[in-house]
Amino acid sequence: MTAVFSVEYFPDETAFSINCIALSTDGKSLLAGYIDNTVKVWNLLDGKLSMNLSLHSSWVTSLAVSPDGRLGIAGYDDGMIIVWEMETGKPLKSLSSHTSSVNYLLVTEDGKTLYSAGSDGTVKVWSLSELAFIRSLRGHSGPVNSIVHWPEQNRLYSVSDDGTLRIWDTSTGQQVKVIKAEIGALSSVNMDEKRSILVVGSKDGPLKFYDVKTWSALRIVKAHNAEVTAIIIRGDLIFTSSRDRTVKILSLPLGSLVKMITGHTWDVSSIVLSGDSSIIYSGSSDGTVKIWDVDKGVALGTLIGFGDGEYFSYNGDGNWVASSKGASRVKTSSGKQPNQQGTELSSLLLQLDKLPRIYVQSPQSITIDNTDLTFVVSQPVVRVTVNDEEIPIGESGKVTFRTTSAGALTIKAFDSIGNFDEKILEVQFEETKMYVIDNVGPYRRGDQVVVSDRKDMDLLVNGEWLSREFFSDIAPDIEPPQITGQTSQQVMIGHEKHLNFVVTDNNEVKTVIVIGPDEKRDEVSVNSPHENIRIKVAGTGEYRVAAIDNEGNEAWATFSLYANAKTFWVERDQGNLRRGQEVTVTAEGENSFFVKEYGWVEKDVLTETKIITESPIIEAEDVQYADANKEKMLNFKVSDDIKVLEVEVSEKRYPVDLKEKEMFVIVGDYGEYRVVARDLEGNTSEKTIRLAAPAMDEKKTNWLLVLVAVAAIAILLLLIFRSSFIRKKKRKVRLM
């Protein structure tokens, strides 16, 4: 915001540049150091120049006031330091150790020690109580421009044209750490009141923020376009001045711009802040000290001092007070000189508490759980309203009230005769990370979200208003329980079985659920962070186990129960199983067994007690014959009361799988053969069969051959007989 004046006066060339300013501890006097070698002390109650001290013949480059307000201290361009009495202006001591300009003076809070930073690259340590030199802190390779003290940690921080921030142990004078800021030559430094963030300013304009605990760089902020001449940190605000002719107010810790104050016509060389942080005093090379209202960013008054001790002061209304010649040395931009009738200020510069006044820091932040806002009003205020709603005034003018959400609030403070002050309080919601504790919208339990505003019992999450009940600033337990144990456990078929495992949780396991191969569910109440579970189960197979904690988190694990195969006997017929049959059981359910090469059967079908059955029967001729020129084959019949499983002949097995069967088995040669029949129950029978060639007399007559032979003989005889008959006949003929 640019300062606006009803009337603004500009000094002539006899007003000298201001290098530095300081404020007395009671807030009633302002000290300004000029290049005309003078220290001017202004009375802020009436705007008059109370002292014009010429203590040394060199430019005044730095100023300080002791905490008790008794001593004033000035540093000079030639390295001299002068200490004087604030009440009388009488010099007490000249301190000489620096060889060039004294750029900064700092008095410790206890008033015992003075630190001075010089262009000779050193920081000097002085006893202010004894006005004596103690030691030099050496390490910088360029002018030291600013320092800040942390008494509780015995630390001093200094910045220099050499671009480094150096940390010193004030108890020993030893250098502790060197940090290269890498933003060019450093011109200013300060630390927040919580001692968590340190800010350095550069001659090129950027600020750099550091985490004091880790010394890691937090951010670089391009705050100004020229040298940062001063940094003041109060609460969550940073006040800076620069040779770019501006004063800026930034937020902490982000460094975002809150307000810019303009009005000086030349470099702003120094700033100080009133005790209640409501007023900024700025000194400039344009020869003026301006008094700014922090909230409004407008000038309340201007102090102009001249080389001969003359002065001119005026307030925002254009009323002024001046020395005998002061009024003649100023004029407005149009060339008009002050009205001689207005030689007294209608209101004193510092006595603002005689009018209704609101001292409020803006913006202020609220959080999800803390929506309290505070400000202070001056003593004449009898009534306060916030957005036209009346708010009670507490002790010492402190006003505390609650708001429902972020936004702009209009505050008004009224006195008894109707005068009032009005301020706008910007309320910001401090973005807060919260955790989803119950699924809502697109968010799932355990998700972290950023809440950017609140309204009554609702929170603004990513542009959507959601009920507060779904969120917590404490992360919910989303870690599921753990289930451990042997994934494969051995049991015995036909005996009582148990599944063993362990459940643990970072809080407490509430319930364990066991689901068997047959989908039967067993539920166990645990209510313990660690428990060994031994649960009775019905059979073998795969079991799924769930562990659920008090937060509803689930964990699943799978265990397998297995058993060695076991022999059973069929107690009653089932399908193609026959009573007494020996079977192999490889798995067990609640009411059934799994029979190898068959399948599941009810448990009452089988028994562990062996059932005795009849052995197979082999029916065959003990001796069997086979011709030598034909296949040699054994012929026999096998039968069983249950089922013949197989027949073995000469160690070769032939499956049967029937209750009765006639067998024809080809063998290789004549001889004795051992025939073994085996049934399903394992019973066996044996029989020896001899295969032989048939004897000659035992050979059967081939009647066909016999008939053929007889026929052949008959034909032969017939032929012989006929031939003989013909010969005889022929003979008879011849004889006749």
Side-chain angles (χ1 to χ4, degrees), residues 3 261-264 278-280 282 290-294 297-300:
I261 299 173
T262 60
H264 283 291
S278 64
I279 297 174
I280 300 174
S282 61
K290 289 190 178 295
I291 306 169
W292 306 93
D293 182 309
V294 170
V298 298
L300 302 173

Side-chain angles (χ1 to χ4, degrees), residues 62 78-81 96-106 114-126 133-147 156-162 164 166 168 173 175:
S62 53
D78 62 358
M80 187 66 71
I81 299 173
S96 176
S97 181
H98 285 288
T99 59
S100 57
S101 176
V102 179
N103 298 324
Y104 200 89
L105 293 171
L106 184 151
L114 170 69
Y115 293 96
S116 59
S119 290
D120 58 6
T122 67
V123 176
K124 306 290 185 182
V125 187
W126 310 85
F133 175 75
I134 298 176
R135 65 167 65 96
S136 293
L137 307 181
R138 301 181 184 277
H140 284 291
S141 59
V144 183
N145 298 313
S146 183
I147 50 180
L156 187 78
Y157 306 86
S158 60
V159 295
S160 165
D161 276 6
D162 65 10
T164 64
R166 295 179 187 255
W168 310 87
Q175 184 173 277

